[in-house]
């Protein structure tokens, strides 16, 4: 496709929007400018391709399509069937999965679909069988009451939040924590790494229905073969949330013991992080869970978003191209170069480095909280997010960490030399920032001091670093 076609498509779209509500058109244009000018290091963000973006902006958005391919609760879904089937086929082929469900709207939705599929398979189905009925509507009031109590009384073992686990893996502020009795496994305080013997011990003691692997802030590989063995040893279903590293699995950087798909009973992911697709979620599973997974809508999901499923099909087709493997490898090369650059300059990193797409800086080494560091970096044109570190004394709001990731900058084409320069910019800002004080003289966890001229200088250096790698070079909205 010609570069002109991309530019014309987006300009025309904005013209149409501007005729109705110019402020929305302006905000869309401003977002492109902001994304072009900042050094985006948020580990969970990326830049989807123009084809993926365009696949979402159309009349598929108008269609209701509850149900699954060929089995809908609405008439006229033949074209939705086409894109949903295509997205699922690309997902199965890309990940070597037996079954793919591409309707979840996000990662939390994908996890809810997975939890309820496991509960239906392991708790509800045996109860129906025992009562000798086919469906829940046929249960007596007493049996239904007993089943509801049993469904709400199951156990989950997942990675602790401050070790890098995710809120949706059974933590109380999230619905998963209200559904499950949850225990978590942490990391070894000395190394910051998962201690599989401790996980096995916790599993033996707690006997979870579901063992969850996967993370949103752990900078190392996870051995999914060992976790599956642990799950099997206690009769648990093994679920992996690969939202963060799905692109590294798709690009065959994580293979063998480090590829969750052959080892887990069920795998969830988002599609917009390292996988570089539209915002959304997806579930992959073994055949025995497929029917339950396909009941995700209306079990826990609202109507599917056919326009997003169309975009998932496009993005997954892109990820099946040979150049995606090269992209995935460069993500890791860049993260390692960034980590090495930071370490060489004296930064303290959780686990001392990375083998994936993310790096977790313990900013207590700079005398800052995560919140202070995040804001100082933002003032300097570097977009990151604060994150807890293991045994974080500052809790989940202020934190002691900054999580940075390379999927987005790698998409723009930055390489390892530029990662070293990025490390220099980050280190400069963090060494020049000092913690502020509250009005009463006590130490503040939010206030900070940074010379605005220094921040401006770093922001200009960040822009210079990005200049040879324009974002969406074919798109000219002027
Ligand atoms: N919001 C995603 C992340 O940043 O990791 C997952 O919650």
């Amino acid at each position: 496709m010609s570069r002109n076609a991309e530019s014309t498509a987006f300009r025309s779209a904005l013209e149409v929007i501007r005729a109705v509500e110019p402020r929305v058109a302006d905000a869309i244009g401003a977002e492109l400018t902001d994304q072009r000018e900042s050094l985006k290091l948020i580990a969970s963000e990326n830049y989807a391709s123009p084809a993926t973006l365009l696949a979402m902006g159309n009349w598929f958005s108008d269609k209701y399509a509850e149900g699954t391919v060929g089995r809908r609760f609405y008439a006229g879904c033949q074209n939705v069937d086409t894109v949903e089937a295509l997205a699922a086929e690309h997902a199965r082929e890309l990940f070597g999965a037996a079954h793919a469900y591409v309707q979840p709207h996000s990662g939390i939705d994908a996890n809810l679909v997975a939890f309820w599929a496991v509960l239906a398979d392991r708790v509800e189905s045996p109860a129906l069988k025992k009562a000798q009925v086919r469906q829940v509507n046929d249960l007596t009031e007493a049996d239904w009451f007993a089943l509801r109590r049993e469904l709400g009384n199951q156990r989950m073992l997942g990675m602790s939040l401050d070790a890098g686990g995710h809120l949706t893996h059974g933590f109380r502020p999230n619905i998963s924590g209200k559904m499950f009795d949850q225990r978590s496994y942490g990391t070894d305080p000395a190394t910051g790494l998962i201690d599989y013997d401790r996980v096995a011990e916790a599993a033996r003691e707690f006997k979870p229905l579901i063992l969850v692997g996967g993370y949103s802030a752990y900078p190392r590989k996870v051995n999914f073969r060992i976790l599956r063995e642990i799950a099997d040893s206690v009769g648990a279903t093994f679920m992996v949330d690969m939202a963060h590293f799905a692109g590294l699995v798709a690009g065959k950087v994580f293979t063998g013991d480090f590829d969750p798909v052959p080892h887990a009973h069920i795998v969830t992911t988002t599609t917009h992080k390292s996988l570089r697709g539209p915002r959304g979620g997806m579930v992959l599973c073994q055949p025995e869970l497929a029917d339950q997974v396909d009941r995700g809508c209306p079990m826990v999901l609202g109507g599917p978003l056919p326009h997003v499923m169309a975009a998932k099909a496009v993005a997954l087709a892109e990820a099946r191209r040979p150049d995606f493997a090269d992209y995935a490898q460069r993500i890791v090369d860049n993260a390692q170069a960034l980590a090495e650059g930071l370490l060489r300059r004296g930064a303290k990193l959780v686990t001392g480095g990375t083998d994936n797409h993310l790096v977790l800086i313990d900013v207590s080494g700079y005398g800052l909280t995560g919140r202070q560091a995040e804001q100082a970096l933002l003032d300097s044109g570097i977009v990151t997010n604060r994150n807890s570190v293991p045994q974080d004394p500052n809790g989940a709001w202020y934190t002691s960490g900054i999580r940075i990731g390379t999927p987005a900058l790698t998409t723009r084409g930055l390489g390892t030399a530029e990662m070293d320069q990025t490390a220099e910019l980050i280190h400069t800002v963090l060494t020049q920032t000092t913690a502020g004080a509250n009005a009463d003289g006590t130490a503040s966890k939010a206030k900070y001091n940074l010379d605005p001229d220094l921040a401006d200088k770093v922001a200009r250096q960040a822009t210079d670093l990005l200049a040879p790698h324009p974002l969406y070079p074919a798109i000219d909205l002027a």
Side-chain angles (χ1 to χ4, degrees):
M1 192 190 56
S2 79
R3 290 160 74 91
N4 252 345
E6 282 179 16
S7 206
T8 307
F10 285 97
R11 281 167 75 152
S12 304
L14 282 188
E15 207 176 303
V16 173
I17 296 165
R18 180 162 287 110
V20 180
E21 175 46 289
R23 289 170 295 184
V24 170
D26 289 347
I28 294 171
E31 181 60 26
L32 178 59
T33 305
D34 288 354
Q35 293 206 20
R36 278 178 165 159
E37 289 176 358
S38 58
L39 209 53
K40 171 144 96 166
L41 282 164
I42 292 185
S44 48
E45 292 188 6
N46 211 326
Y47 305 107
S49 71
T52 298
L53 296 176
L54 287 169
M56 281 185 280
N58 57 66
W59 32 91
F60 261 138
S61 164
D62 300 331
K63 194 74 194 97
Y64 252 119
E66 282 175 32
T68 48
V69 177
R71 211 171 159 275
R72 305 283 184 185
F73 290 91
Y74 291 82
C77 292
Q78 59 280 5
N79 301 310
V80 179
D81 279 359
T82 301
V83 294
E84 181 169 351
L86 270 172
E89 180 189 324
H90 283 312
R92 286 193 307 271
E93 293 294 324
L94 179 63
F95 292 106
H99 184 72
Y101 180 65
V102 297
Q103 291 188 12
H105 310 153
S106 69
I108 179 171
D109 290 359
N111 285 348
L112 280 174
V113 170
F115 298 152
W116 281 102
V118 176
L119 288 170
D121 183 59
R122 302 228 14 221
V123 180
E124 186 174 291
S125 292
L128 295 181
K129 210 163 159 191
K130 189 170 159 212
Q132 298 184 322
V133 297
R134 282 193 54 239
Q135 51 141 329
V136 284
N137 287 336
D138 299 331
L139 289 171
T140 63
E141 279 299 306
D143 283 349
W144 175 231
F145 185 77
L147 174 57
R148 285 178 54 228
R149 267 213 331 216
E150 214 186 327
L151 286 168
N153 199 25
Q154 299 300 319
R155 294 175 171 183
M156 171 180 290
L157 178 64
M159 193 170 191
S160 71
L161 264 186
D162 68 355
H166 195 258
L167 197 66
T168 58
H169 300 172
F171 292 93
R172 289 181 188 182
N174 178 257
I175 182 71
S176 56
K178 303 178 208 299
M179 283 163 54
F180 287 96
D181 178 11
Q182 195 258 24
R183 294 283 182 281
S184 53
Y185 56 88
T187 44
D188 182 323
T191 61
L193 302 175
I194 294 175
D195 178 340
Y196 296 96
D197 291 339
R198 296 290 300 276
V199 180
E201 199 181 301
R204 271 196 304 277
E205 273 172 21
F206 189 53
K207 300 207 173 15
L209 179 81
I210 304 179
L211 172 65
V212 183
Y215 53 80
S216 60
Y218 180 68
R220 295 294 178 178
K221 285 181 176 171
V222 174
N223 189 316
F224 297 111
R225 179 185 54 76
I226 298 179
L227 288 183
R228 171 61 188 261
E229 284 168 10
I230 294 171
D232 284 348
S233 73
V234 295
T237 298
F238 181 38
M239 168 179 157
V240 174
D241 178 344
M242 66 169 182
H244 261 263
F245 53 92
L248 305 185
V249 178
K252 313 288 179 244
V253 177
F254 286 0
T255 56
D257 293 353
F258 307 105
D259 174 355
V261 180
H263 300 292
H265 297 99
I266 190 159
V267 175
T268 59
T269 186
T270 51
T271 45
H272 49 271
K273 297 188 176 88
S274 53
L275 197 51
R276 207 165 58 180
R279 302 199 72 77
M282 198 161 73
V283 181
L284 309 173
C285 67
Q286 303 287 354
E288 64 271 19
L289 286 170
D291 285 348
Q292 301 295 359
V293 163
D294 281 351
R295 295 193 176 126
C297 169
M299 174 66 80
V300 292
L301 298 177
L305 306 175
H307 54 308
V308 182
M309 291 195 288
K312 286 173 185 171
V314 171
L316 289 163
E318 288 171 345
R320 288 183 67 191
R321 292 180 179 165
D323 61 351
F324 194 86
D326 171 58
Y327 165 65
Q329 185 57 53
R330 284 187 292 113
I331 290 176
V332 177
D333 294 344
N334 276 345
Q336 289 176 340
L338 190 52
E340 280 156 24
L342 287 162
L343 286 170
R344 214 172 42 250
R345 290 170 174 86
K348 190 170 152 196
L349 304 185
V350 174
T351 79
T354 181
D355 347 282
N356 57 22
H357 64 299
L358 71 87
V359 176
L360 194 54
I361 310 174
D362 182 342
V363 292
S364 65
Y366 293 100
L368 300 171
T369 63
R371 190 179 157 95
Q372 290 162 334
E374 177 193 81
Q375 288 301 311
L377 288 166
L378 187 64
D379 291 347
S380 315
I382 303 172
V383 189
T384 65
N385 71 290
R386 63 189 186 278
N387 207 99
S388 301
V389 299
Q391 293 95 42
D392 200 314
N394 286 323
W397 180 249
Y398 293 108
T399 82
S400 303
I402 285 290
R403 186 186 68 166
I404 52 181
T406 52
L409 291 184
T410 306
T411 294
R412 281 187 81 149
L414 278 79
T416 51
E418 285 138 325
M419 290 303 113
D420 192 58
Q421 289 170 267
T422 302
E424 173 64 22
L425 297 184
I426 293 171
H427 183 71
T428 301
V429 173
L430 296 183
T431 46
Q432 297 302 315
T433 304
T434 55
N438 295 312
D440 63 3
T442 55
S444 168
K445 290 187 177 184
K447 293 183 179 161
Y448 61 97
N449 308 302
L450 172 66
D451 176 0
D453 290 339
L454 187 270
D456 286 349
K457 185 175 161 208
V458 171
R460 281 195 303 278
Q461 289 171 322
T463 309
D464 290 347
L465 200 54
L466 292 169
H469 307 284
L471 177 62
Y472 300 121
I475 299 170
D476 176 9
L477 299 183

